[in-house]
Structures are given as C-alpha cells and as structure tokens.
C-alpha cells in the first residue's frame, strides 16, 4: 500500500487514511508519519511511538474492518494525531493492577510520557483517541506565544 506524500512546501501537512484492522496497522501508521513530518525533526520518533501505541489499541479493541487515522504535521515540526475505534470503553491504564511484569497495558503510560497532551472524544459508535507531540524547539513547547 503506497503512502501518500504531502507537498514539500506545505506549511501544514495533513493526511487522512483508513488502516486495516490487522497487525500491519501500527507499522503502516508509523510509516505514514513521514508523509506529514520532516524526517529530520526529532519529534518523528516520539510521534511514531505514540501513534503505534494508539493504533495497536484500536486494532485490539475495534470491531470495524478499518481504522480511520488523521495526522497533522505542523509548521514547527509538531504532530497531532487522532485514531478512531469502535470500542465504547474509555482509555485507561491497566499495568498497575496486572503487576510490573505485565506484557500489555503500558500504552497510555508511554503516551503520557512522550506526548504533550492526549485525550479522547466519544462518538455514537466509539471514540477518537488523539495526542499531540510538540517539537522541542517550538514556541508552544516552551510556553511562549509567537508574536
């Protein structure tokens, strides 16, 4: 499946796509980040890691044949991503109850550690889980407002 490419001079690059509800989805999502972010920016790795976690949860909990994905690469190198699934449950960590050796339930801990913000919005048929990873040198990441 070839990944769409954004024009190189775009100030804000956006991508909407549908991922298969399969084990391939997290890899396809990680590769898609390159379509909206300059690969030389170091938010790329954090953005890919967060996206992989959110998409893996959607694959695990969704009953739909595909998973809608929206990515926005901002001019300052920051990434906004949203992933939709059909699960009615809200995202929550489960690692603490399952013990420190649990093999799953750490996705939201990863998201909390790497993302500058995340949340979810319920819909009639599930929810959107979203996050933002800011580029470390952006004015917004420093708490400054650009003039």
């Amino acid at each position: 499946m070839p990944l769409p490419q954004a024009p190189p001079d775009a100030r804000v690059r956006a991508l909407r796509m549908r991922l298969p509800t399969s084990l391939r989805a997290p890899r396809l999502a990680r590769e898609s980040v390159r379509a909206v972010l300059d690969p030389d920016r170091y938010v790329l790795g954090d953005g890919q890691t967060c996206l992989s976690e959110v998409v893996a949860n959607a694959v695990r909990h969704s009953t739909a044949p595909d998973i809608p994905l929206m990515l926005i690469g901002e001019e300052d190198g920051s990434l906004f991503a949203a992933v939709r699934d059909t699960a009615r449950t809200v995202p929550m960590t489960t690692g603490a109850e399952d013990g420190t050796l649990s093999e799953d339930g750490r996705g939201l801990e990863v998201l909390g550690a790497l993302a500058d913000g995340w949340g979810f919005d319920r819909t009639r048929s599930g929810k959107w889980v979203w996050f933002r990873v800011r580029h470390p040198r952006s004015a917004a990441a420093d708490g400054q407002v650009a003039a």
Side-chain angles (χ1 to χ4, degrees):
M1 165 179 185
L3 297 173
Q5 297 297 314
D9 60 344
R11 300 190 91 170
V12 174
R13 299 176 185 184
L15 171 66
R16 292 184 90 140
M17 64 187 295
R18 292 183 174 273
L19 300 167
T21 305
S22 74
L23 297 178
R24 297 179 334 180
R27 179 183 53 81
L28 293 171
R30 285 191 305 272
E31 292 171 357
S32 298
V33 173
R34 292 183 181 279
V36 298
L37 283 182
D38 179 347
D40 295 329
R41 306 273 187 146
Y42 40 90
V43 76
L44 183 69
D46 289 350
Q48 287 175 318
T49 300
C50 289
L51 186 58
S52 186
E53 292 293 340
V54 172
V55 169
N57 280 340
V59 167
R60 183 176 185 180
H61 299 291
S62 191
T63 59
D66 56 26
I67 298 168
L69 167 66
M70 180 179 60
L71 299 173
I72 300 172
E74 299 170 357
E75 184 179 16
D76 67 358
S78 299
L79 174 70
F80 175 84
V83 177
R84 188 177 168 288
D85 67 46
T86 59
R88 307 285 289 158
T89 58
V90 298
M92 57 198 294
T93 59
T94 59
E97 300 98 43
D98 295 341
T100 57
L101 298 178
S102 175
E103 292 184 16
D104 60 3
R106 303 279 191 250
L108 293 180
E109 291 177 20
V110 170
L111 200 58
L114 297 178
D116 292 286
W118 72 274
F120 65 94
D121 297 306
R122 289 185 181 200
T123 67
R124 289 185 198 180
S125 59
K127 66 184 167 302
W128 283 92
V129 178
W130 55 267
F131 67 87
R132 178 180 307 276
V133 178
R134 295 196 188 281
H135 188 280
R137 291 188 298 256
S138 74
D142 294 334
Q144 302 170 4
V145 177

